Amino acid sequence: MKQRRLGATGPATSAIGLGCMGMSEFYGQTDDADALRTLERALDIGVTHFDSADTYGLGHNETLLGRFIAQGGAARRQQALLATKFGIVRTAGQYERRIDNSPAYIRQACDASLKRLGVDRIDLYYCHRRDPAVPIEDVVGAMGELVQAGKVGAIGMSEVSAKTLRRAHAVFPVAAVQSEYSLWSREPEAGMLATCAELGVAFVAYSPLGRAFLTGTVDVAQLADNDFRKNNPRFVGEAQAANQRLVAALTAFAAERGLSNSQVALAWLLNKHPHVVPIPGTRRIAYLESNVSAVDIALTPDEIAQLDRLFDPQAVAGARYPEAGLVGIESR
C-alpha cells in the first residue's frame, strides 16, 4: 500500500483510508459481523486509516472500531490509525443536530471517545463542525492541550474555511482538513486545497464516491426508508435525473479503460493531489478491494482534464446536503 503523510510532521497513513460511518447508520441496514470482517480485510490489504466520529450511530461506530482493535490486540492497535471527531450533538432517531465547540465539551467528548474506542490515544482528532460563537483559537487551544496530555496524537478540522484553517494552524499545528471532495463536489478547489498544500496540511476527502452515486450502482427507488440519501437533494427528482446523465458519461469513460467508476473517481483524486487521502466508505469486501486498487491507477493529464470538464460544478444538480446537514459547514 502506498503511503501519504498527515501534515508536515504527522503520521504516515495508507493513501486510501476507510470511512466507517455507514457501518453504523445513514445507509440502511447494518451488520456488525459484516463490518468487522470488512475492517479486518482492510487492514490485511494495507489500509491503516480508519475514520469515525462520536455522532456516527451515537457512539456505536467508535464502539465497533474498539471491538475491532481489541480483537487484534496490541499488534493491530500499532498498525491502525484511528481518526474520530467531536462537535455534532444529536438525539437518537433524529438527523437534526446542534454544534458544541466549547473547551469543556471537547475534553468531555475526547474522554468518551477514548472509552468507546478502548484506547489511550486518538491518533487524529477532528473538530467535526464549527460553532462560530466559539473562537477557533479557543477550540484549537483545547485540542492542543489534549495532544500535550497524550490523549491525542494530531488534530484536524472538518468543513472549515481556508481562513479558519490559517487561524487554527497559527495556534497549533493542524495535521489534516477533512471535507467532502469528489468529482461532483469540487468546493475545496476554490482555495482550500492550495491552502493545505501551502501549510503542509493533508486533505482527507470524505464521500469521494458521492455517497456511492458516482459508482453507478445506486437505485434510488430501492433505498431503505432509513437511508438519508432518500432526502438528499442530489438524489431526488430532476436533480437525480440530471446527475444520472453525468454518471452515465463516467461509466462510459471507465469502461473504455477497463476500470470501474469508483476506481476512476478515486484515481482522479489521487493523481491530482499528492496531499489528498480519500476515505471511501463501504461495508462490502469486494467494493473495498476494488477501491484500494485505485492507488495503482495512473491517469494522464488529458484524462484528468476530461473528467474535470465532464463534472464541471455548474453541471451538478442539487445541494450536497439537506438543510439540517449544512449546520456548522463554513463556506470557502
Side-chain angles (χ1 to χ4, degrees), residues 195-236:
T195 301
C196 285
E198 175 192 338
L199 298 177
V201 176
F203 186 96
V204 176
Y206 78 81
S207 293
L209 303 178
R211 299 180 176 85
F213 194 85
L214 297 177
T215 69
T217 63
V218 175
D219 182 349
V220 175
Q222 298 300 315
L223 293 178
D225 289 341
N226 62 343
D227 192 316
F228 100 108
R229 291 173 294 183
K230 289 181 75 77
N231 297 308
N232 184 292
R234 292 188 175 177
F235 288 76
V236 178

Side-chain angles (χ1 to χ4, degrees), residues 89-269:
V89 183
R90 297 167 47 233
T91 301
Q94 295 185 11
Y95 181 73
E96 290 70 20
R97 72 279 309 274
R98 66 179 178 86
I99 310 301
D100 195 335
N101 286 178
S102 65
Y105 179 78
I106 294 170
R107 291 187 288 269
Q108 172 191 341
C110 179
D111 287 341
S113 289
L114 287 168
K115 184 176 181 179
R116 285 188 291 266
L117 289 165
V119 299
D120 56 13
R121 189 184 77 159
I122 296 165
D123 299 308
L124 177 59
Y125 198 40
Y126 292 98
C127 175
H128 203 167
R129 294 289 187 270
R130 280 284 295 123
D131 176 3
V134 181
I136 193 63
E137 290 78 8
D138 293 350
V139 176
V140 176
M143 296 174 75
E145 290 174 1
L146 294 173
V147 174
Q148 293 160 358
K151 295 182 177 182
V152 168
I155 70 168
M157 299 281 119
S158 179
E159 292 285 5
V160 296
S161 66
K163 179 180 178 180
T164 293
L165 173 59
R166 289 185 183 278
R167 288 173 56 191
H169 196 67
V171 174
F172 196 91
V174 176
V177 167
Q178 181 177 146
S179 294
E180 184 173 357
Y181 184 35
S182 68
L183 281 166
W184 78 346
S185 293
R186 307 272 294 277
E187 292 87 350
E189 295 178 358
M192 177 55 79
L193 287 163
T195 301
C196 285
E198 175 192 338
L199 298 177
V201 176
F203 186 96
V204 176
Y206 78 81
S207 293
L209 303 178
R211 299 180 176 85
F213 194 85
L214 297 177
T215 69
T217 63
V218 175
D219 182 349
V220 175
Q222 298 300 315
L223 293 178
D225 289 341
N226 62 343
D227 192 316
F228 100 108
R229 291 173 294 183
K230 289 181 75 77
N231 297 308
N232 184 292
R234 292 188 175 177
F235 288 76
V236 178
E238 293 181 1
Q240 186 270 337
N243 293 328
Q244 193 64 56
R245 289 191 287 272
L246 298 178
V247 173
L250 175 61
T251 300
F253 179 99
E256 288 177 2
R257 292 155 180 81
L259 302 171
S260 69
N261 288 26
S262 61
Q263 289 170 331
V264 170
L266 293 169
W268 175 82
L269 286 168

